[in-house]
Amino acid sequence: MQSEESSSIDNEPRSCGDNSVWAHVSPLLSAACNDLHEGELIHGDNFNLFAAMSALEIMDPKMDSGMVSTFYSIDEAIESGLAPVPISSDSTLNVQSIIDIMDHLLACEATWHMGHSLAQTVFSCIYVLKPERTSSHALLHSFCRVIRATCRALVSVVSDSRTNEEEDLFTMTYGLSFNGDEDANCLLLLNAVEETICRQLRACNATSSKRRVLEELEPLQTNSQLEESFCNALLCRIRFRKHFLHALNCMRRPQGRGLELARKHIAYCIAELDSVLSSVEFLSLEAVENGQIEMEESTTGSGRHPIGFDPTLNKRLSAPTPPRAVKLLSWKKAIDYYVKLLLNLDQICAFKLEPDLDAVLQFVVQFQKSRPDLVARAHLQLLLVQDGKLYGRDTFLTICARSLALDVTKNHGLHLNEHILQLNQLMINLLKILCANTPWQRRKLGKILNDWSIYNVQMGITVSHMMQQVTAPRTPKNGDKSLLILNYIYGWLEEQIHWVALRFLVLGFDLELYSPSEYCMVYWYMYIILWKLAEKAHFRVLIIVHTEERKAKKKEDYSRDMAREDKISLWVLLLKCQTSLAQGLAVMIAALRNEGMCLKSQGPFNSENEKFIQHFGLLKKASLPKYDAYESFSESTSHARLDYLPAYECFRDAQKMAKDIKVGYAIDPDKLAEVVGLEQVAEHNICDTRFFQK
């Protein structure tokens, strides 16, 4: 027997297909309830605790997906008149209702982007579910087709980037009809509708002589005084949809070829959203006159409830999972979301696609500070990683070699080297992780550290073994140049591993994982990682200088890339500034703690050592550092006192370096703001240490 969960109340068996018969089970359930005591349930012989955790409670609205549904099927909703075509015989009311549908769909789509079900948001609109019903109504038909095409484009982006692991509901279509061939021509239909409305708008603004020529145009509605306002309200919504879909399509072009054009469409989208916001005064005039002035939570610009929507219509499609309560974003919040999304997409399009790994990592970190949503991060990932290459153009061997000023164009065999292939995959995984949301990113960075560490050990053994086999001096003339490149890349790996470790620690602050009593150990660990990172980065500067000098000796007309050398040297100086600052903070907090002026990292459940392992266990597993970190931390901080604070020297050094760094980053506002922040921290702590010394 199969239960109907929320079927009609008749007791007659009901056919639901060729082989299925639904039977009413309410009498059986009622009889069973009379014999059951509290806490008991009906179950089969093979029912166990694991199955109980996955059981659904029939007739419970939070568990039973068939409950609280207005209609049993889409056809039933259509027959009841929920989504009429045309919407109204009154042309003015018809246009008003279409604008309400457009606004409500905007709120539904923004809510879907935030992680809710597509079936219960965008596809709660019957006009979108059944676009063929609106074929006689060009305006509504073309708009719904564009909505479907936009959803399909976004699902494709998130699926291809595989960022949907963060929120599986985004790419699930629940068996809905999603790939209509007619949707491909939606922009042509929308352009035709836009042109018709533009002609009608020109007729409204035309002089009496020109108006006679345009009299054959059928107006949108009968009230001539409202015609111009309705035309403008429709045009800005149509144009936003058109340019948004164009922008998404341009950003998917390979190797970033459509980014410049996408920026133009994004600029149009932002401008049209401003016009959409401006139309709210006209659209909500009737609601204000009727005393309905609560617009903050409304999903439409007019404040009216839209026609043709039922959020419970597709609840059964989410079975066997319990139905989720969906609270739609308000219309104004949806517009705010789209403005932020468009600004994030514009930031991606404005990025210069240079084959420079340092620039890529810096951009991704800076981009993540704005907390972009899933759609923007998915586009960034697909731009960075295409066909296993950076931007779909350069292999990661080429990118890594360029970071060391090396030329690998003549060493084709290196691209097939086992370690280089593994490095390529590690770099792909790293960039994908950096494009994830902050919690997911930190979790994955902690795990990938071990992979990098193992790879570093394996490559070190291979390089050492190869060097032992080389008897002649390893010079470009006599030795194997491939071995030289591998050796330099091996040294570069240490820098990247420590960069990942630093990113892992910094994200802990963003996620508020550290309590104030744990700041001492966190800053100490950051000092250790930063010190090693600065050392490895300085070693890379020496490699670059040596390589450039060697090339200059070979070719008299060779021009050294001084800009790259200065850029990396500035990066090393910034790392040293951060190192001094982290060291000073660790020592000062330790001194305050030892003097009883700061809370110690103690609690009833976890010792300081246990908290140290909880926060930095993944770093220890990756041998960062190679010695016992907690023992070193305890020894270096246990003797810190307020009467002698080496932290003062650290803060003073950081302040001096920050002033020099500001000159180098004068044309980079993001980096300049970061350095100014470091300088201010150093200045404030210099004052604090002087106070304690007195």
Side-chain angles (χ1 to χ4, degrees), residues 137-327:
H137 198 297
L139 174 58
L140 185 59
H141 181 72
S142 60
F143 192 86
C144 290
R145 290 291 184 189
V146 169
I147 289 287
R148 290 169 61 92
T150 303
C151 291
R152 186 167 62 250
L154 292 173
V155 167
S156 175
V157 167
V158 177
S159 298
D160 291 346
S161 64
R162 297 186 179 180
T163 51
N164 59 298
E165 293 182 7
E166 306 168 20
E167 182 51 79
D168 293 330
L169 288 176
F170 191 94
T171 57
M172 294 180 65
T173 57
Y174 304 96
L176 296 168
S177 177
F178 200 59
N179 295 316
D181 296 334
E182 299 84 356
D183 296 341
N185 300 322
C186 60
L187 286 174
L188 295 176
L189 297 174
L190 199 66
N191 285 334
V193 171
E194 180 188 0
E195 178 59 28
T196 301
I197 299 177
C198 284
R199 292 175 62 192
Q200 186 60 43
L201 181 61
R202 287 195 295 269
C204 296
N205 298 326
T207 60
S208 57
S209 58
K210 294 182 179 180
R211 192 172 298 173
R212 296 193 191 98
V213 181
L214 300 172
E215 281 182 351
E216 68 274 8
L217 287 175
E218 182 180 354
L220 293 175
Q221 43 83 53
T222 55
N223 192 337
S224 59
Q225 296 179 348
L226 302 177
E227 185 74 3
E228 182 178 354
S229 298
F230 276 125
C231 286
N232 286 323
L234 286 171
L235 280 175
C236 59
R237 286 161 173 80
I238 290 173
R239 287 169 176 167
F240 166 75
R241 279 293 160 194
K242 179 184 71 173
H243 289 296
F244 186 57
L245 184 54
H246 273 306
L248 295 178
N249 293 335
C250 289
M251 292 189 71
R252 288 304 305 271
R253 294 181 184 177
Q255 300 182 9
R257 295 189 184 117
L259 296 183
E260 185 177 351
L261 182 57
R263 289 199 74 186
K264 295 180 180 179
H265 287 296
I266 289 171
Y268 283 125
C269 285
I270 296 175
E272 296 302 337
L273 283 179
D274 289 338
S275 300
V276 170
L277 275 175
S278 300
S279 67
V280 68
E281 183 177 354
F282 160 70
L283 295 173
S284 60
L285 183 61
E286 181 181 347
V288 173
E289 291 177 351
N290 295 334
Q292 302 171 359
I293 57 176
E294 296 182 3
M295 300 288 296
E296 291 301 321
E297 297 301 320
S298 175
T299 58
T300 62
S302 66
R304 292 184 294 267
H305 186 74
I307 296 174
F309 290 84
D310 183 4
T312 68
L313 197 60
N314 297 315
K315 286 179 66 175
R316 289 182 178 84
L317 296 177
S318 61
T321 60
R324 297 178 62 173
V326 178
K327 179 175 176 56

Side-chain angles (χ1 to χ4, degrees), residues 449-643:
L449 266 174
N450 190 48
D451 298 335
W452 279 79
S453 180
I454 294 173
Y455 170 70
N456 187 44
V457 172
Q458 293 174 346
M459 190 169 183
I461 295 173
T462 301
V463 171
S464 178
H465 179 69
M466 292 174 65
M467 291 180 65
Q468 291 176 1
Q469 294 178 343
V470 177
T471 56
R474 291 185 300 104
T475 64
K477 292 183 179 179
N478 303 324
D480 185 4
K481 190 176 180 181
S482 297
L483 176 58
L484 179 65
I485 294 173
L486 286 175
N487 189 32
Y488 283 162
I489 290 178
Y490 170 63
W492 170 85
L493 277 174
E494 287 279 347
E495 180 185 347
Q496 298 307 308
I497 291 173
H498 284 84
W499 186 91
V500 174
L502 178 64
R503 180 68 180 157
F504 174 82
L505 292 172
V506 170
L507 288 176
F509 284 104
D510 294 342
L511 296 170
E512 300 180 356
L513 299 180
Y514 311 128
S515 65
S517 62
E518 297 166 346
Y519 283 170
C520 183
M521 65 174 69
V522 175
Y523 283 121
W524 180 89
Y525 221 113
M526 289 184 67
Y527 157 68
I528 297 299
I529 297 298
L530 280 165
W531 177 79
K532 198 69 175 179
L533 178 58
E535 180 186 80
K536 294 300 179 181
H538 179 68
F539 177 69
R540 177 155 64 101
V541 173
L542 297 179
I543 293 176
I544 292 174
V545 172
H546 173 71
T547 305
E548 292 289 318
E549 289 178 348
R550 190 180 62 202
K551 291 179 180 179
K553 290 180 180 180
K554 283 186 174 183
K555 298 180 181 180
E556 294 182 358
D557 59 341
Y558 179 77
S559 177
R560 291 178 59 176
D561 191 352
M562 300 302 298
R564 175 170 54 186
E565 295 180 26
D566 294 341
K567 184 178 180 180
I568 300 177
S569 298
L570 196 62
W571 160 246
V572 174
L573 189 59
L574 177 61
L575 289 175
K576 290 181 179 179
C577 176
Q578 293 173 332
T579 303
S580 297
L581 205 56
Q583 182 185 13
L585 289 170
V587 174
M588 187 176 70
I589 296 174
L592 293 172
R593 184 188 62 178
N594 294 338
E595 294 290 337
M597 302 175 65
C598 181
L599 291 175
K600 293 186 177 181
S601 180
Q602 294 180 352
F605 304 108
N606 297 88
S607 65
E608 186 179 62
N609 187 17
E610 290 172 334
K611 290 183 178 180
F612 198 92
I613 295 174
Q614 290 171 356
H615 283 306
F616 315 121
L618 292 174
L619 299 180
K620 181 180 179 182
K621 188 177 180 181
S623 301
L624 296 173
K626 299 184 184 301
Y627 48 84
D628 189 334
Y630 180 72
E631 182 178 350
S632 177
F633 163 72
S634 300
E635 292 177 357
S636 60
T637 58
S638 59
H639 302 294
R641 292 293 182 268
L642 291 176
D643 53 355

Side-chain angles (χ1 to χ4, degrees), residues 278-453:
S278 300
S279 67
V280 68
E281 183 177 354
F282 160 70
L283 295 173
S284 60
L285 183 61
E286 181 181 347
V288 173
E289 291 177 351
N290 295 334
Q292 302 171 359
I293 57 176
E294 296 182 3
M295 300 288 296
E296 291 301 321
E297 297 301 320
S298 175
T299 58
T300 62
S302 66
R304 292 184 294 267
H305 186 74
I307 296 174
F309 290 84
D310 183 4
T312 68
L313 197 60
N314 297 315
K315 286 179 66 175
R316 289 182 178 84
L317 296 177
S318 61
T321 60
R324 297 178 62 173
V326 178
K327 179 175 176 56
L328 295 178
L329 292 177
S330 68
W331 180 68
K332 290 185 177 180
K333 289 181 180 179
I335 290 181
D336 292 339
Y337 165 80
Y338 270 99
V339 170
K340 179 188 176 185
L341 172 61
L342 291 167
L343 292 176
N344 286 332
L345 293 179
D346 184 69
Q347 190 178 356
I348 295 172
C349 296
F351 176 56
K352 296 180 181 179
L353 306 185
E354 299 177 359
D356 185 346
L357 184 60
D358 294 327
V360 171
L361 296 179
Q362 178 183 335
F363 173 77
V364 175
V365 171
Q366 188 65 35
F367 180 76
Q368 288 279 25
K369 289 182 180 180
S370 64
R371 297 297 177 91
D373 291 297
L374 176 62
V375 174
R377 288 186 279 104
H379 278 92
L380 176 60
Q381 180 187 314
L382 290 182
L383 173 64
L384 297 180
V385 181
Q386 300 178 31
D387 300 325
K389 299 179 181 179
L390 185 65
Y391 318 129
R393 301 187 309 219
D394 302 297
T395 64
F396 285 98
L397 171 61
T398 305
I399 300 301
C400 297
R402 191 180 187 279
S403 299
L404 297 164
L406 299 174
D407 183 13
V408 295
T409 55
K410 298 180 180 179
N411 292 268
H412 301 290
L414 271 179
H415 293 277
L416 301 177
N417 182 280
E418 178 184 356
H419 293 289
I420 296 302
L421 293 175
Q422 191 174 354
L423 173 64
N424 194 70
Q425 189 58 50
L426 285 172
M427 288 303 306
I428 291 174
N429 292 340
L430 175 60
L431 289 178
K432 289 184 176 181
I433 290 171
L434 292 175
C435 294
N437 63 29
T438 304
W440 187 274
Q441 182 183 160
R442 188 177 190 274
R443 177 188 173 201
K444 289 295 185 179
L445 284 178
K447 292 184 177 180
I448 201 177
L449 266 174
N450 190 48
D451 298 335
W452 279 79
S453 180

